[in-house]
Amino acid sequence: MDQADIQVNSRSKTDRTNALKQALSQVFVKNSGNASVLSHELVSAQVQKPQSLLTQYNYYQQDNQLYLQAIFDHQQLVQILRKADLPVWGAQRPLTLFWLSMPSENGYEIVSDAMVSANEDGMNDYAISQGIPVLFPLMDLDDLMQVSVTDVRGQFAQSVAMASQRYDAEYFVVANMDTFAGEVRYQMSLYAKDSQDPIMQPLLSHQGLALDYQLAGQQMMDKLAQYFVSQYAIASSGEDLSTLLSFVGIASMKDVVEIESYLQELTAVKAIQLHQINADTVTYAVDLFSQVADLQRLLNIDNRIQDITIPQTESTLGSGSSFDQGFGQSPDQTNEQPSEKDGEPVTLIYQWLAR
């Protein structure tokens, strides 16, 4: 998120300074999800002095080209975006599986992971540079048995959804490219992989024209980023918002340390404070930059936790206790869930699965 690699002509001071400006611009876009942030006066002023945020840089050679790799201070980057009242798109980003059909010598074919790795058009490289986690199918025997080019070109989402279950991705895209009047015509639809709707409806549909396949791929990635930014990038609401957040299944202090580190990385979280420890459950009071729903969206894309929130009307977490009670031993009220009482919000409850 805080690193960029820029091709340079030499190791001269002038080339290095220009490359660092490009790198910092790219990192600002990565951390916000929107290139328009570069026009903000605070961001544009910072780009002109990249050394003040630079933590490390080095040169390396690849394919007879010289590159400068720069890493910038994440906390200061986020502070600048927050000061400018701009959204921050954190490291909690969903993985998207891309089912893409393109023209080939034999008609059309589905682009595989191996093809993308060897593709000089750089569609995957562009996604990486924009901070968009994407994955392409293996197109091995398992995939070939379930998905055909006709399924992808016909936008048969149900068939593609079944084949997508084997991949550890939260979303999948069904997309096509073709030539039209000297340009590349493309269309794409985004779906939630675990949708329970009997008739799958796309979360995003888009079609357009581009000068070539490379630009078409980049435009699709940009549209994908715009959707995810709308869902997961967090801007400060300016309000004093908070909630209680519980994690059950805590086995040791190591789990607590990992949870606190995880929460501090969430862009929706302004501050956390330990509220209660009760047997295998730890609860935090969480101050938020925005609405509780924004926090829930971030929590729900992390496979280390599982939402088990069950609002009830009368029961609450038991009174505070200590780790002396022993991890893994549930108190008498383990199955009781917190509820809204005396104006307090319902506690969000998640099962901690990381080990």
Side-chain angles (χ1 to χ4, degrees):
M1 293 300 302
D2 309 311
Q3 172 184 310
D5 297 58
I6 306 297
Q7 184 178 333
V8 293
N9 295 322
S10 71
R11 298 173 185 250
S12 69
K13 182 177 180 180
T14 299
D15 284 348
R16 181 172 67 250
T17 299
N18 290 334
L20 288 175
K21 291 179 181 179
Q22 293 180 51
L24 183 54
S25 295
Q26 191 177 113
V27 167
F28 267 122
V29 172
K30 272 188 183 182
N31 280 273
S32 65
N34 194 330
S36 66
V37 300
L38 298 176
S39 62
H40 193 285
E41 59 180 356
L42 289 180
V43 175
S44 60
Q46 186 61 62
V47 167
Q48 297 306 310
K49 46 181 182 179
Q51 289 86 351
S52 62
L53 297 186
L54 186 66
T55 60
Q56 180 181 336
Y57 78 90
N58 63 276
Y59 293 94
Y60 67 91
Q61 293 272 351
Q62 181 174 308
D63 299 329
N64 296 321
Q65 298 289 340
L66 181 65
Y67 290 84
L68 181 144
Q69 182 181 88
I71 302 175
F72 299 93
D73 185 280
H74 178 75
Q75 294 300 324
Q76 291 190 61
L77 278 163
V78 171
Q79 287 174 9
I80 292 169
L81 291 172
R82 292 290 188 205
K83 187 176 181 180
D85 292 326
L86 294 169
V88 178
W89 191 17
Q92 291 71 35
R93 303 188 176 199
L95 180 63
T96 302
L97 178 63
F98 238 87
W99 298 90
L100 170 64
S101 75
M102 294 182 63
S104 68
E105 295 179 357
N106 300 317
Y108 295 94
E109 63 182 334
I110 299 174
V111 176
S112 68
D113 179 71
M115 292 169 60
V116 170
S117 299
N119 185 7
E120 295 181 357
D121 287 344
M123 185 174 178
N124 196 46
D125 291 341
Y126 183 77
I128 293 172
S129 71
Q130 301 300 300
I132 309 168
V134 296
L135 176 70
F136 287 82
L138 297 173
M139 293 314 298
D140 55 8
L141 184 59
D142 288 340
D143 287 340
L144 292 171
M145 292 283 287
Q146 296 191 70
V147 177
S148 67
V149 171
T150 302
D151 291 326
V152 176
R153 297 200 66 78
Q155 297 277 313
F156 297 127
Q158 205 69 45
S159 298
V160 180
M162 293 179 62
S164 300
Q165 293 304 313
R166 65 183 293 213
Y167 293 95
D168 188 20
E170 288 77 24
Y171 297 86
F172 68 89
V173 166
V174 183
N176 299 297
M177 290 188 187
D178 209 339
T179 55
F180 177 77
E183 294 183 300
V184 173
R185 177 173 54 188
Y186 66 88
Q187 60 177 352
M188 62 177 289
S189 297
L190 174 69
Y191 298 88
K193 190 184 75 172
D194 295 327
S195 172
Q196 303 300 314
D197 294 338
I199 300 177
M200 299 193 68
Q201 298 295 326
L203 302 169
L204 165 70
S205 291
H206 177 70
Q207 59 184 1
L209 292 172
L211 294 177
D212 54 38
Y213 288 110
Q214 180 177 359
L215 289 175
Q218 292 179 5
Q219 289 178 22
M220 285 195 291
M221 291 301 174
D222 287 340
K223 281 295 178 182
L224 195 61
Q226 289 174 20
Y227 175 80
F228 288 139
V229 165
S230 72
Q231 297 296 305
Y232 300 112
I234 307 298
S236 177
S237 67
E239 303 177 47
D240 293 328
L241 301 170
S242 63
T243 191
L244 295 177
L245 177 59
S246 289
F247 293 90
V248 303
I250 307 303
S252 68
M253 279 298 299
K254 177 177 178 292
D255 288 339
V256 176
V257 172
E258 290 181 358
I259 288 172
E260 292 186 359
S261 177
Y262 163 66
L263 292 178
Q264 289 167 353
E265 293 176 355
L266 296 178
T267 53
V269 173
K270 184 184 300 184
I272 62 170
Q273 182 176 356
L274 183 62
H275 179 73
Q276 183 182 96
I277 294 173
N278 195 3
D280 67 344
T281 302
V282 59
T283 302
Y284 294 93
V286 183
D287 293 333
L288 302 170
F289 282 110
S290 58
Q291 303 297 319
V292 173
D294 295 324
L295 173 63
Q296 289 178 289
R297 280 197 293 271
L298 294 178
L299 293 170
N300 289 338
I301 61 174
D302 197 304
N303 58 16
R304 294 175 296 178
I305 57 178
Q306 180 181 359
D307 188 0
I308 58 173
T309 305
I310 307 174
Q312 294 184 2
T313 57
E314 297 181 357
S315 58
T316 60
L317 285 176
S319 59
S321 59
S322 70
F323 283 98
D324 293 339
Q325 292 180 352
F327 287 103
Q329 299 178 6
S330 300
D332 293 339
Q333 296 182 336
T334 296
N335 294 326
E336 295 185 358
Q337 306 297 335
S339 63
E340 189 167 344
K341 185 178 181 180
D342 299 329
E344 294 185 2
V346 173
T347 304
L348 305 178
I349 307 177
Y350 285 78
Q351 177 82 35
W352 181 247
L353 305 175
R355 287 290 180 268

